[in-house]
């Protein structure tokens, strides 16, 4: 790696890891683990994106742009990938 790529990725700030974990946890909270069929509140679908965006902002402020991009991508794609995984496992 050259110096510019190290500066782009950098070390991931602790709070970015926390926000990425919260994005994943909030996405997993959307799964109907009991099979009750009860609908989740609409605002819960925005939590993974909000946590990913918060982690991206934290990483960008700390000059870790690569981790900021990873955090935002995880937050935005968490619900879509979870829906794909549940569909593949349980069927449509």
């Amino acid at each position: 790696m050259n110096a510019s790529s190290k500066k782009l990725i950098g070390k991931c700030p602790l709070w970015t890891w926390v926000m990425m974990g919260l994005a994943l946890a909030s996405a997993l909270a959307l799964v109907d683990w009991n099979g009750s069929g009860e609908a989740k509140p609409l605002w819960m679908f925005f939590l993974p994106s909000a946590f990913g965006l918060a982690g991206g902002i934290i990483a960008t402020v700390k000059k870790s742009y690569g981790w900021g991009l990873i955090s935002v991508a995880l937050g935005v794609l968490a619900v879509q990938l979870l829906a794909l995984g549940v569909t593949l496992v349980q069927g449509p």
Side-chain angles (χ1 to χ4, degrees):
M1 278 189 177
N2 58 17
S4 64
S5 64
K6 284 184 180 179
K7 189 175 184 180
L8 181 65
I9 295 181
K11 292 178 70 174
C12 185
L14 174 66
W15 284 105
T16 300
W17 279 109
V18 170
M19 291 299 160
M20 287 192 294
L22 287 172
L24 183 61
S26 62
L28 289 173
L30 293 171
V31 177
D32 185 16
W33 297 102
N34 297 329
S36 65
E38 185 177 330
K40 304 290 183 191
L42 183 62
W43 58 268
M44 284 186 72
F45 288 91
F46 296 106
L47 284 178
S49 298
F51 286 132
L53 184 63
I57 290 170
I58 292 168
T60 304
V61 167
K62 300 280 187 174
K63 305 283 191 235
S64 187
Y65 303 111
W67 282 108
L69 182 64
I70 290 169
S71 179
V72 169
L74 177 72
V76 170
L77 295 175
V79 174
Q80 288 82 8
L81 293 175
L82 186 67
L84 177 68
V86 169
T87 302
L88 289 175
V89 171
Q90 294 183 351

